[in-house]
Every structure is written in C-alpha cells, then in structure tokens.
Amino acid sequence: MTNTYQPHSDNRFTFGLWTVGNTGRDPFGAPVRKALSPVEIVRLLAEVGAYGVNFHDDDLVPIDATPAARKKIIADFRKALSDTGLVVPMATTNLFGDPAFRDGAFTSNDPHVRAYALQKTMNAIDLGVSLGAGIYVFWGGREGTETDAGKNLLDAQKWMREAMNFLCGYVRDQKYALKFALEAKPNEPRGDIFLPTTGAMLAFIETLDHPEMVGVNPEVAHEHMAGLNFTHAVAQAWDAGKLFHIDLNDQSFGRYDQDLRFGSHNLKSAFFLVKFLEDVGYTGSRHFDAHAYRTADEDDVKAFAAGCMRTYLILKEKAAQFWEDAEIQGLLAEIVADDGAMDRFKGKYSPAKSKALKAEAFDRGALGRRGLPYERLDQLVVELLMGVR
Ligand code: GLT
Ligand code: MN
Ligand code: MN
C-alpha cells in the first residue's frame, strides 16, 4: 500500500464499536471471531488510522452491568481514547436488541416500553455527551410492523414525533451541544420500518418542534436495499442543510442488509458519492457502518477497515482527476452550454416575465433534435475509474 492513501484526521474517518467488533454471528450461524473489548477495538482502530469511534450505549456498557462495572468500563475506554488520540464524534442508543423492544421503542403499542425507551435514550445521551459526542443518531430498527392489523399508523407517527420533541427538550434543558441525525431503513429487522427513506425522514423533521436540531444520517446500504440512488438522497439532504452524518458501506440490490466494505460492490456509485461529498465540502464524520465478511479473521478485519478508508481516498483522488480531465470538462461544458438567450425568463416570478414567456416562440423540433454526449462522458468516467486515463 502506498502512503498517498494514508488516512488523516482531516478525513474524519470513524467506525462504530459494532462494526470492527462484529463477531460474524448471523441468523444462521454462531460467532466466528472472539468478541473484542471496547479498549481492544479502540486500539485496533488507532492501528489502522481511524479518527474516531462511535458506539451504542450497550456496545460500551452491557445493559445489565453493575454500577461498579460501568464505572470501570468507562474509565478504561476513556484511557484508551486518550492513549490513542481517538475521539467520539457520535453516539446512539440500542433500541432494537433487547426483547423489550420487540414491537418497537418510541412506537411500541405499550406505553411502558415507550417510556422506557425515552429513559434509556436520555441516559445514553448523557453517556455520549460525557465522552465528547456532538451528533446523536437514531436508527429505529424495530419501529415498524409485520402486519398493519395491530398498529394505528397515525398513532405511530405521533409517538415518534412526541419522542423526538421530548428528547430535543431534554438536550436543550441540559444545554448539551448535541444534534440529532435520523437514519432511515426500509425493512429488516421489521417487515416494514416506519419512515423508510432519507426523503421520508427529511419531511418528518419539518414537523418537529425544533427542526433546526435534527438532520439525517443516510446509509448507502439502506437506500440501495430499496433500489434508490443513494447520492440523490444525500444531495437532497445536503440541499436542505440536513446532512449531519453519513453511514458509508456497500450493498447489492435485492438482498438483506449486507453492510459490505465501502466501495466493494458498486464502485461507480461509490465514486459519485465521494465526488459529491468532496465537491460540496462536507466536513462531518465519514462513518463506516460496515463489517467484515464472516470468513474474516482478526487480520482480515483490519484489512477490511483499512480498505474502507483507502477506497474512499482513492475515489477522492479520482474525483479531483475528473475536474482536471480536459476531455471530460469539454464534454461537460458542451452539455451545460448556455447562450444567455433565456436569461430574461430566469429566476423569480414577475407578471412581466410571465407575459414575455407566454409570447416567446420555441422551436420544439430543434429542442428535441439535440443529442447529448452522455455515452462518451460516462465511458470516460468508467475509464478513469479503471485507471487508464
Ligand atoms: C445497526 C444498523 C445500523 C445503524 C446502527 C446505529 S446499528 O448496526 O444496521 O445501520 O446505523 O444504530
Ligand atoms: Mn446497514
Ligand atoms: Mn447505519
């Protein structure tokens, strides 16, 4: 590996404790790797050059830990952070693992579960903030249904809104400098998860009491599972000023949630994503929410983590090359050419403009005869990615 693609703290590359800590357990088989302690994971991430580490409350402190055990775990974790220089930019709550959440957390039909979910989240927010988190992710894996016979869908929306409003109130009350990032997923583990896409989350946010505190955490795999274009979702979030965090991984369409190494499946869409993030100057965490193949041993897990970051950096270099490539830029200039003749119709509505536009004669046939060299342009991008340009 060359040094050019060495991760740097400016890249804001982060991993969750649950990502490199994944033991390979799946619905069909037992763990294949030993469970690493949070301290061991921090050391592993430091070794491969990551910037930060994120966690769910239960990843760091087991849900049934005694107060004494909790204290020791947190102290050891803090020491590992200061020994390695890793930071904690994001934290989140596990609202899906415990059997209590079998029918959801904030949208469970049981008011006791809904109240417990709020309590668990407030405690987890305290923990995350105490370790430095500035972003708090909400992934509602169990918020959904298998059958719509048993849940009032409008109540579910209302409960979700009330929970977010309550927690925004809590954060404001504590004077925490913390923002929320909502992560959508269409299904798995529920048959259908509520607010299944980034677009749905963006619309929901506008119904909250404090929309300015809440943005999104789009995940590559989750939009790809639904057959959607992830970069388009990210662009919409960016345009709305809501791209607070991002989960990078990969996924092939029509499969279960694979959480593959970034760029390992669809290199071309990974390229357009990296290009977008670099073009707009996204400065948030680039969080890899992925895990190694079940065939991996500990060394291969390190190769997996290093690979996520290296692929990102290589694609970043390719994105710069895209802007420097004269032939590509020539075609782009041709595609977006503007002779200025339509300037008088652009921008805000005015009665005079609408009148002039209605009177304009358009040559519809000529408009339709104009071809666009997208084939040539795309082939150049493919060749750039294949390393022959
Ligand atoms: C879980 C899920 C991810 C979420 C994590 C945050 S946990 O692994 O598959 O997409 O981002 O709760
Ligand atoms: Mn996922
Ligand atoms: Mn995720």
Side-chain angles (χ1 to χ4, degrees):
M1 292 198 182
T2 69
N3 277 335
T4 332
Y5 307 120
Q6 274 303 309
H8 186 271
S9 58
D10 289 351
N11 303 128
R12 299 282 185 269
F13 289 143
T14 66
F15 290 82
L17 284 181
W18 68 94
T19 62
V20 285
N22 178 285
T23 58
R25 185 169 61 94
D26 70 16
F28 305 95
V32 291
R33 293 181 285 269
K34 87 173 172 71
L36 300 173
S37 70
V39 168
E40 288 172 311
I41 296 174
V42 168
R43 293 213 188 99
L44 185 157
L45 289 176
E47 188 186 326
V48 296
Y51 161 76
V53 59
N54 307 316
F55 58 82
H56 298 87
D57 49 355
D58 302 347
D59 301 338
L60 184 59
V61 184
I63 195 164
D64 47 9
T66 62
R70 177 185 171 91
K71 217 171 148 195
K72 174 153 185 356
I73 291 168
I74 296 171
D76 290 349
F77 186 64
R78 255 185 216 289
K79 180 163 185 313
L81 293 174
S82 79
D83 287 351
T84 57
L86 253 72
V87 295
V88 174
M90 177 273 263
T92 183
T93 330
N94 185 325
L95 294 172
F96 44 88
D98 195 86
F101 301 124
R102 62 203 289 173
D103 186 34
F106 302 139
T107 64
S108 166
N109 270 328
D110 185 337
H112 296 261
V113 174
R114 298 201 298 275
Y116 170 59
L118 282 180
Q119 183 203 62
K120 189 173 195 286
T121 305
M122 288 190 290
N123 289 333
I125 286 175
D126 294 343
L127 175 65
V129 169
S130 75
L131 286 158
I135 295 288
Y136 203 83
V137 162
F138 289 85
W139 174 67
R142 299 281 176 196
E143 315 289 10
T145 63
E146 282 71 42
T147 167
D148 289 340
K151 196 163 284 188
N152 181 316
L153 301 179
L154 294 180
D155 281 346
Q157 292 278 337
K158 182 172 79 106
W159 293 333
M160 185 69 98
R161 181 177 306 113
E162 282 173 358
M164 286 301 139
N165 287 340
F166 188 98
L167 294 166
C168 282
Y170 178 71
V171 165
R172 286 164 60 86
D173 206 17
Q174 302 302 307
K175 306 211 167 13
Y176 290 154
L178 190 69
K179 288 194 162 191
F180 292 172
L182 311 187
E183 179 177 345
K185 187 177 182 184
N187 59 272
E188 196 197 6
R190 292 314 290 264
D192 290 289
I193 298 178
F194 296 139
L195 301 168
T197 62
T198 298
M201 287 297 184
L202 288 168
F204 172 71
I205 289 167
E206 296 310 313
T207 72
L208 299 176
D209 288 349
H210 290 285
E212 73 286 354
M213 291 175 67
V214 188
V216 290
N217 176 38
E219 173 171 319
V220 177
H222 297 178
E223 304 290 322
H224 285 187
M225 282 171 73
L228 299 173
N229 182 317
F230 182 68
T231 309
H232 290 196
V234 169
Q236 189 190 354
W238 178 264
D239 180 67
K242 293 295 186 192
L243 190 64
F244 289 5
H245 200 264
I246 194 164
D247 277 2
L248 303 174
N249 55 18
D250 217 341
Q251 170 77 25
S252 75
F253 175 61
R255 310 279 169 101
Y256 64 95
D257 182 20
Q258 294 174 302
D259 292 335
L260 297 169
R261 189 178 78 257
F262 181 61
S264 62
H265 182 72
N266 193 338
L267 209 45
K268 193 175 169 190
S269 57
F271 166 71
F272 286 122
L273 172 64
V274 170
K275 181 175 169 299
F276 179 86
L277 294 175
E278 298 301 320
D279 285 352
V280 298
Y282 170 76
T283 55
S285 287
R286 286 158 177 83
H287 177 238
F288 296 103
D289 188 8
H291 54 74
Y293 303 140
R294 192 161 182 268
T295 43
D297 57 16
E298 203 179 310
D299 276 344
D300 211 34
V301 168
K302 287 181 198 166
F304 146 82
C308 286
M309 298 184 284
R310 186 172 160 88
T311 296
Y312 187 100
L313 293 171
I314 295 169
L315 292 175
K316 181 179 169 179
E317 186 180 89
K318 299 281 181 196
Q321 232 181 304
F322 177 96
W323 291 114
E324 288 154 10
D325 187 306
E327 206 178 342
I328 288 178
Q329 292 312 308
L331 286 175
L332 269 182
E334 189 185 325
I335 287 165
V336 300
D338 185 342
D339 63 5
M342 296 293 113
D343 285 359
R344 63 211 157 99
F345 304 130
K346 287 182 189 163
K348 273 207 163 117
Y349 172 83
S350 78
K353 237 186 238 177
S354 77
K355 197 167 169 220
L357 181 53
K358 275 185 152 180
E360 178 76 5
F362 286 98
D363 182 350
R364 196 161 45 84
L367 293 179
R369 274 190 298 278
R370 185 182 167 213
L372 290 159
Y374 289 145
E375 288 284 5
R376 272 190 288 155
L377 179 62
D378 188 72
Q379 180 65 23
L380 292 179
V381 170
V382 168
E383 292 189 13
L384 186 138
L385 290 178
M386 291 193 292
V388 296
R389 285 193 71 75

